[in-house]
Amino acid sequence: GVTSEISELQGSCMTGSALVIGSGFGGIASALRLRALGLDVHVIERLDDIGGRAQVIEVDGYKHDAGPTVITAPFLFDELFELFGEKRADHIEFRELNPWYRFVFPDGDQFNYGGTLEETLQEIRRIEPKDRAGYESLVKHSKAMFDIGFSELAHQPFHQIKTMAKQIPHLARLRSDRSVWDMVCQHLTNDKLRQAFSIQPLLVGGSPFDTTSIYGLIHYLERAYGIFFAMGGTGALVAQLKQLMLRQGITIQTGATVSEILTSQNRVSGVKLESNDVITADYTVFNGDPMYLYRELLPQKQIPFATRLKRDYSKLSMGLYVLFFGTDTQYPDIAHHTIWMGQRYRELLDDIFHRQILADDFSLYLHRPTATDPSFAPSGHDSFYVLAPVPHQGSGIDWAVEEPKLRERIIDALGRTILPGLKEHIQAPFAMTPDQFSDDYLSYKGAGFSIAPLFTQSAWFRFHNKAEGFDNLFLAGAGTHPGAGMPGVISSAKVVERLVREATHQPEVA
């Protein structure tokens, strides 16, 4: 009715100021959404440029996206430009990939995933004809998950238990207590296909054997929208979002680290930087690891018991080892995204997530952006990164000792299999370990995705988008609801926008 339209209008011309700490995709999206509401927005980033993990590193003519490279929900980026009457396509091209991923198994068999449903079914028929029908039922189940878990809940605030209580019947009906692995096994019989269709949780920091099957919705998300690459790389996408922010009058301060969040009673008044400068604002959004926020930045006595409990007992996602390199030759047969499967699947994941040991073997995700965008390397060359899930810093691994050995094992394995002669052709290699995630991004114990996506750490059980104990402190990013991955963190900004809007309509409590 008219009254709701009027309150929408009032909501969209708010006055006041907002401070966004951290500028990963969750922080960028929060800044844009709060600016669209009418707030003056100031962004603080401790690195030299915005983008959080989506930094760009150039070495010897090879360009590397250091962070996320897979775009699965392009409409979420479109919305950010549309807030200001602009079109994302006018600023950056998203190119659809086919295949989305190529799986390479230890016996040399390959499985191309992506393109039309029919193309995927043909590939499945080649490996296991009787799993065709199972795959179709898996997609149907994933759509049911998507309709609840993404379309209805991803942008809903979950800081109140009653919101969760309302959803329990739906979650129970979809058996979200089951793991992704158990869900996939209900539909598929072939071991290779089971592995291929259960790896999605690794993209958001969890083991398929532990992660709630709600994350099976990623499957339908891919099927519904496709998988894209931003031409020029994720860094080029960040650069365009930065220009959008600047056009809208958002101020950005880089090379600035917050040392303390300043509070007075149950409100946050601003932040103190390591330089001792103080910045004040009416609303503060934290886009970083909540484990760090609740350990290092807030007065401990003001953090409610339940939040301290969550902080002290949450299970973390795994760490990441990323090896970047160029090659002075091209490997035209390598797809843009390759998942190179090791001999062990469940046992390897148990080593990483439960035993916390660095095994001799590994499974790898290989990114070859030059398959789609030649600007990533000099002419006739390729650019690559290889990502291996590894234990986080809680494992006590000494990366100064282990990194060179792991690097050599990975180069050997790829040279023996899909990148022949890699040892002779590799150029300008360098690596990131969980130590860099801890130092650069202040990620607790160097975890790659904050806390793991377990059922008991999802929705209401995850860190809330509104901080307990403080009326005007909000959280966006991987560690909060709805979770990690680009669609998750950008959706968290929608929750923040909604909560900030609600906070202004509530009378002040003295």
Side-chain angles (χ1 to χ4, degrees):
V2 178
T3 48
S4 66
E5 279 172 37
I6 290 170
S7 70
E8 281 286 307
L9 285 170
Q10 285 169 339
S12 60
C13 43
M14 284 168 56
T15 54
S17 56
L19 181 60
V20 179
I21 305 169
S23 65
F25 281 113
I28 291 171
S30 296
L32 287 165
R33 287 189 169 279
L34 297 185
R35 182 71 193 114
L37 290 181
L39 295 172
D40 287 326
V41 180
H42 184 70
V43 177
I44 306 172
E45 169 55 60
R46 68 192 302 267
L47 299 177
D48 294 335
D49 207 349
I50 71 163
R53 287 153 200 222
Q55 298 296 310
V56 178
I57 308 167
E58 294 206 37
V59 185
D60 296 356
Y62 299 99
K63 190 165 73 171
H64 304 284
D65 274 324
T69 57
V70 180
I71 293 175
T72 46
F75 60 91
L76 290 172
F77 291 101
D78 297 349
E79 287 171 2
L80 296 176
F81 286 89
E82 285 160 9
L83 287 171
F84 306 100
E86 297 192 22
K87 278 201 164 73
R88 186 267 311 157
D90 293 342
H91 302 281
I92 188 153
E93 179 196 345
F94 286 174
R95 192 166 290 181
E96 187 165 7
L97 303 179
N98 192 5
W100 298 334
Y101 298 101
R102 174 172 297 150
F103 291 87
V104 177
F105 296 99
D107 62 3
D109 197 4
Q110 298 192 354
F111 170 62
N112 282 338
Y113 167 51
T116 63
L117 182 62
E118 199 39 56
E119 286 171 302
T120 302
L121 289 170
Q122 275 173 351
E123 279 287 282
I124 289 171
R125 186 193 291 131
R126 196 174 51 73
I127 291 179
E128 177 49 80
K130 65 173 187 283
D131 275 345
R132 276 177 54 111
Y135 176 70
E136 291 185 277
S137 69
L138 174 65
V139 173
K140 200 179 279 179
H141 183 76
S142 175
K143 181 183 188 307
M145 290 274 183
F146 176 86
D147 290 343
I148 298 274
F150 191 86
S151 303
E152 286 188 31
L153 305 185
H155 53 278
Q156 291 279 355
F158 259 96
H159 58 295
Q160 293 176 329
I161 187 77
K162 65 176 190 226
T163 319
M164 187 71 181
K166 264 194 253 171
Q167 297 308 330
I168 285 171
H170 301 304
L171 298 172
R173 191 179 75 243
L174 295 168
R175 291 300 313 278
S176 49
D177 56 310
R178 283 194 312 207
S179 70
V180 166
W181 174 257
D182 289 340
M183 179 196 87
V184 169
C185 289
Q186 290 271 293
H187 299 274
L188 301 172
T189 61
N190 180 277
D191 212 47
K192 287 176 184 170
L193 295 175
R194 284 175 166 185
Q195 289 181 23
F197 289 120
S198 66
I199 61 120
Q200 280 96 345
L202 289 163
L203 306 176
V204 293
S207 161
F209 298 95
D210 304 326
T211 298
T212 162
S213 64
I214 296 171
Y215 284 87
L217 65 79
I218 294 174
H219 202 79
Y220 181 75
L221 184 69
E222 294 171 341
R223 200 32 72 223
Y225 299 100
I227 285 185
F228 295 81
F229 182 68
M231 295 303 282
T234 313
L237 173 58
V238 170
Q240 289 303 327
L241 288 165
K242 181 181 184 177
Q243 290 308 312
L244 175 63
M245 290 160 81
L246 295 173
R247 284 196 294 280
Q248 296 307 324
I250 294 171
T251 53
I252 299 170
Q253 184 176 355
T254 55
T257 300
V258 171
S259 58
E260 190 187 340
I261 290 179
L262 304 171
T263 62
S264 143
Q265 286 154 323
N266 57 348
R267 291 185 70 75
V268 165
S269 53
V271 299
K272 187 176 181 184
L273 302 180
E274 278 180 357
S275 61
N276 279 334
D277 290 350
V278 168
I279 302 170
T280 60
D282 299 319
Y283 305 96
T284 298
V285 179
F286 179 77
N287 172 224
D289 186 356
M291 297 290 274
Y292 184 84
L293 169 71
Y294 289 121
R295 273 189 157 73
E296 308 291 340
L297 297 178
L298 288 165
Q300 292 301 305
K301 60 181 186 302
Q302 275 182 265
I303 300 173
F305 177 69
T307 308
R308 292 203 304 267
L309 215 57
K310 206 175 274 195
R311 173 198 73 189
D312 295 344
Y313 292 100
S314 283
K315 290 189 165 63
L316 299 175
S317 69
M318 75 285 195
L320 297 171
Y321 171 76
V322 196
L323 175 62
F324 302 87
F325 58 91
T327 56
D328 62 11
T329 184
Q330 285 193 313
Y331 291 91
D333 297 339
I334 300 298
H336 191 116
H337 301 295
T338 301
I339 314 275
W340 185 98
M341 304 298 285
Q343 294 284 351
R344 300 184 309 146
Y345 188 58
R346 184 172 202 145
E347 297 78 9
L348 175 63
L349 291 166
D350 280 346
D351 283 349
I352 295 167
F353 283 90
H354 300 298
R355 291 190 280 272
Q356 301 225 323
I357 54 176
L358 185 61
D360 289 337
D361 60 336
F362 33 71
S363 284
L364 306 170
Y365 158 63
L366 181 68
H367 184 234
R368 177 180 170 247
T370 29
T372 307
D373 185 345
S375 74
F376 273 71
S379 179
H381 293 225
D382 266 334
S383 162
F384 289 98
Y385 81 53
V386 182
L387 186 151
V390 294
H392 57 64
Q393 286 176 322
S395 59
I397 294 165
D398 182 342
W399 283 105
V401 173
E402 295 302 332
E403 190 282 318
K405 296 192 273 192
L406 179 58
R407 178 187 298 204
E408 195 169 327
R409 292 202 299 275
I410 288 175
I411 292 170
D412 274 353
L414 290 172
R416 266 198 327 272
T417 53
I418 57 174
L419 300 179
L422 179 58
K423 254 204 182 96
E424 293 72 56
H425 293 295
I426 195 165
Q427 303 289 312
F430 65 98
M432 283 175 78
T433 71
D435 293 352
Q436 273 80 49
F437 279 79
S438 171
D439 297 347
D440 295 353
Y441 310 131
L442 302 181
S443 177
Y444 180 61
K445 292 193 178 173
F449 304 88
S450 187
I451 62 173
L454 308 172
F455 182 67
T456 51
Q457 294 183 172
S458 297
W460 183 80
F461 302 113
R462 211 164 173 79
F463 285 106
H464 297 162
N465 304 89
K466 182 178 186 301
E468 278 75 19
F470 305 96
D471 291 343
N472 58 343
L473 174 60
F474 305 92
L475 279 68
T480 188
H481 172 70
M486 283 206 269
V489 299
I490 295 173
S491 295
S492 73
K494 289 189 183 184
V495 184
V496 165
E497 176 196 356
R498 192 163 159 176
L499 290 167
V500 168
R501 219 186 255 249
E502 283 173 15
T504 55
H505 295 316
Q506 287 165 356
E508 285 298 328
V509 181

